[in-house]
Amino acid sequence: MNRTDRMYAIVEELRAVAPRPRSATWLAGRFEVSRRTVERDISALQQAGVPVWAEPGRTGGYCLDRARTLPPVNFSPDEAVAVAVALGGVAGTPFAGGASTALRKILAAMRDDDAAAAHDLAARVHLLGAPADRPGVPAVLADAISARRVLRLRYTDREGVPTVRDVEPLGFVGSSTGWYLLAWCRLREAVRAFRLDRVVRATATSERAPRRAVRPEDLQVPEGDLRTLALLD
């Protein structure tokens, strides 16, 4: 193990056990180097601004302030390609733009050789068939949820009747047939789900939407049981 990799590994070891300490003797045995080498590595880390300090005493050692550091996000080539394949499934959803920028960030954070290997691996992955044939989602709709901006929609209902509505965006509902914008409709004075393929035009206003709680029984979506997306199971 070269010195750079060893210093990285020392930081990750201290992060894993924080706030408990690791002694120089323990670290020397773990990385098969001398105690003096560990002390030089720790000194270099401290000079570089890594929040490592020595805790004196019989049970002391080196500690890392985990609250002041973030673990690096490193992806292997196969992990990056797996993420790319998964993100490909969001084409035509409100999150297609976010998926594209997320993948670019992942590749930018990777080492050059790993990024090159990821591109090489991706070139050997072949997908049969085209993505689901759904219209793209206007960026103004995707941004409205996080920005909490009132939207003015020109919308065509199921009978083909066009209306203009000011709505307070609340979220999205995905179904097997498409995506809906979930919003408080000021025209109907109720929560409504607007099919995105029926939105003729959407304009963000300067008005900030108030926070509203939404209950499942408030939703009028024509198919299936609703479930909320969970990032962690």
Side-chain angles (χ1 to χ4, degrees), residues 179-196:
W179 282 80
Y180 298 80
L181 172 70
L182 190 64
W184 174 267
C185 178
R186 292 181 173 177
L187 177 65
R188 305 301 185 200
E189 295 186 340
V191 175
R192 289 290 185 268
F194 298 94
R195 277 187 56 142
L196 296 190

Side-chain angles (χ1 to χ4, degrees), residues 31-60:
F31 297 108
E32 300 180 346
V33 295
S34 68
R35 179 189 173 103
R36 183 173 178 80
T37 296
V38 168
E39 291 171 346
R40 283 199 300 262
D41 288 349
I42 293 292
S43 177
L45 289 168
Q46 291 171 330
Q47 292 174 38
V50 178
V52 179
W53 73 93
E55 190 172 281
R58 185 176 60 82
T59 60

Side-chain angles (χ1 to χ4, degrees), residues 20 25 34 88 121 127 130 182 195 210 212:
R20 293 178 290 123
T25 300
S34 68
L121 177 58
L127 304 176
L182 190 64
R195 277 187 56 142
R212 291 183 183 272

Side-chain angles (χ1 to χ4, degrees), residues 3 22 48 70 76 80 89 115 136 155 159 201 203 208 226 228-229:
R3 190 186 186 209
R22 285 294 195 204
L70 289 174
S76 65
Y155 186 74
E159 306 300 329
R201 185 172 62 250
T203 305
R208 192 167 175 82
L226 288 174
T228 300
L229 177 66

